[in-house]
Amino acid sequence: MTSKRLCFEPGHKPKCLVIVDDTAEWDRAVYYASRWAIRAGGGVVMLRIIEPEQQSQEWLGVAEIMRAEAQEAAEAALDRAAGRANGIAAITPERVIREGDAMEQLLAVIDEDPDIAMLVLAANPGAEGPGPLVSLLAHALGTFPVPVTIISGALSDGSVDSLS
């Protein structure tokens, strides 16, 4: 299913995949991935997944407006995250927007880019749990096609600097 990783082959460079979502801790993942990119001589791919709305025929016009608004919000979120990465590591990350099931889209992006060497997520430090994506991935980690690094959302920039 997943293609061979080529990230350390001649002519390729390793990339770190980061999910930019609506959680408060996405910044920690972007910070870690950007620092990692500096040290590894690699790049960062930022992914925003838009979950499709259920739509019926009579609401098609409203659904199209909602899709356009979701696309605009995704672009704005990636603009913020790319600005953060550029400020941290003076890099311009790749930006990907996909629509569909989160796990399917995540796996598809990894499969399509053989230079992706790792996925970085940040976990919510609060009592409500680590966050939706971390919880979703917990069930698939044993068969996931790339290493997954989970950063605590409670880590400061200085703490992340010492780890990356």
Side-chain angles (χ1 to χ4, degrees):
M1 169 157 109
T2 300
S3 59
K4 179 183 175 194
R5 304 287 93 202
L6 301 175
C7 50
F8 293 104
E9 299 290 325
H12 294 267
K13 72 176 184 175
K15 298 177 188 174
C16 190
L17 177 62
V18 178
I19 308 300
V20 177
D21 57 16
D22 293 326
T23 62
E25 59 273 4
W26 68 263
D27 177 72
R28 299 295 74 208
V30 168
Y31 192 90
Y32 180 88
S34 300
R35 296 280 303 162
W36 176 89
I38 292 170
R39 296 204 187 224
V44 175
V45 177
M46 295 182 172
L47 172 62
R48 176 72 176 214
I49 300 171
I50 301 170
E51 304 245 358
E53 298 290 327
Q54 297 297 330
Q55 51 189 321
S56 61
Q57 198 63 24
E58 62 270 4
W59 294 102
L60 219 46
V62 173
E64 289 303 315
I65 292 170
M66 290 174 67
R67 177 177 280 128
E69 289 173 350
Q71 183 74 23
E72 192 174 299
E75 291 285 351
L78 289 175
D79 285 346
R80 284 189 306 277
R84 179 76 164 127
N86 188 276
I88 295 162
I91 59 171
T92 302
E94 295 177 40
R95 301 159 46 122
V96 178
I97 298 174
R98 299 295 279 265
E99 185 176 342
D101 176 75
M103 185 61 84
E104 287 176 13
Q105 296 307 316
L106 177 59
L107 291 170
V109 168
I110 292 169
D111 192 48
E112 292 164 10
D113 189 341
D115 290 339
I116 293 176
M118 120 173 65
L119 170 65
V120 174
L121 301 172
N124 179 355
E128 57 275 358
L133 203 49
V134 173
S135 297
L136 179 66
L137 274 172
H139 300 290
L141 286 178
T143 59
F144 209 70
V146 295
V148 178
T149 300
I150 301 174
I151 303 301
S152 169
L155 292 176
S156 67
D157 288 356
S159 295
V160 174
D161 289 345
S162 66
L163 295 169
S164 54

